[in-house]
Amino acid sequence: QILAEAASEKFIKANPASDEEIRAEYDAQVATMPKEYKARHILVDAKEAADAIIVKLQAGGDFAKLATAESKDSSASNGGDLGWFSPQTMFKPFADAVAAREKGKYTQAPVQSEFGFHVSLLEDTRSPEVPEFEQVKPQVEMFAQRKKLQAYIDGLRAAAKIQK
């Protein structure tokens, strides 16, 4: 382990990440940042109750008022407002349903989770706020350097001829 750490440090000192590599890593990380969503939801125990809420919405019902009156979730007190979130912070079927919808549209079929049945409304989407390059350059530099070291180690492993 000590020899491996020493070899790693020696490689990093001899092969620091260039500004171009750091910038490329920053750009790659920014490109993979997921959209953020602003949504409301209504959580009920039974599918029939969720279906009835969807019928009320189709008849022109106000989503926030229905959420306040019918949702068992803590967000009911503010009209079911979940605020801004990234898909990774929600359970996958719910996040997928929200992400697949157009702004201003609500669920046409409830989404089931361990908590019950969800009816949701997508209010808006946005790109996440991206920190300036200079703000995060030290962290990105470390990440780029680790990737460079890992590529070097992978190359050594691929070229190694081990006999038993």
Side-chain angles (χ1 to χ4, degrees):
Q1 174 121 8
I2 293 170
L3 291 175
E5 286 179 27
S8 295
E9 285 180 31
K10 183 178 178 182
F11 175 83
I12 289 170
K13 285 180 183 174
N15 301 284
S18 68
D19 285 340
E20 293 81 25
E21 289 169 322
I22 298 167
R23 176 58 81 166
E25 186 60 39
Y26 172 81
D27 292 341
Q29 293 295 323
V30 167
T32 61
M33 291 178 77
K35 272 186 180 177
E36 293 178 333
Y37 300 89
K38 184 172 186 341
R40 293 179 183 272
H41 88 135
I42 301 169
L43 178 63
V44 293
D45 288 323
K47 183 179 184 312
E48 296 75 22
D51 288 336
I53 290 167
I54 292 170
V55 169
K56 290 176 185 177
L57 290 168
Q58 290 169 339
D62 181 87
F63 197 98
K65 288 180 183 174
L66 285 167
T68 301
E70 309 218 18
S71 183
K72 69 176 192 169
D73 188 66
S74 61
S75 66
S77 62
N78 53 337
D81 189 3
L82 298 172
W84 288 99
F85 60 88
S86 66
Q88 294 83 357
T89 61
M90 298 292 178
F91 76 96
K92 187 164 176 37
F94 179 83
D96 290 347
V98 169
R101 205 164 315 121
E102 293 178 39
K103 284 191 237 179
K105 302 289 183 184
Y106 54 84
T107 310
Q108 294 301 306
V111 175
Q112 186 176 7
S113 77
E114 63 188 78
F115 306 107
F117 291 85
H118 303 259
V119 176
S120 60
L121 167 70
L122 175 60
E123 293 187 320
D124 204 359
T125 62
R126 69 180 181 191
S127 295
E129 291 185 24
V130 178
E132 293 294 321
F133 175 71
E134 291 303 323
Q135 246 183 322
V136 293
K137 185 178 178 183
Q139 294 92 334
V140 176
E141 182 176 11
M142 275 194 301
F143 192 75
Q145 194 64 55
R146 273 189 251 140
K147 280 178 77 174
K148 196 172 185 175
L149 176 61
Q150 189 59 52
Y152 172 68
I153 292 169
D154 291 345
L156 290 175
R157 284 187 178 138
K161 295 194 182 350
I162 300 173
Q163 297 177 353
K164 290 184 177 183

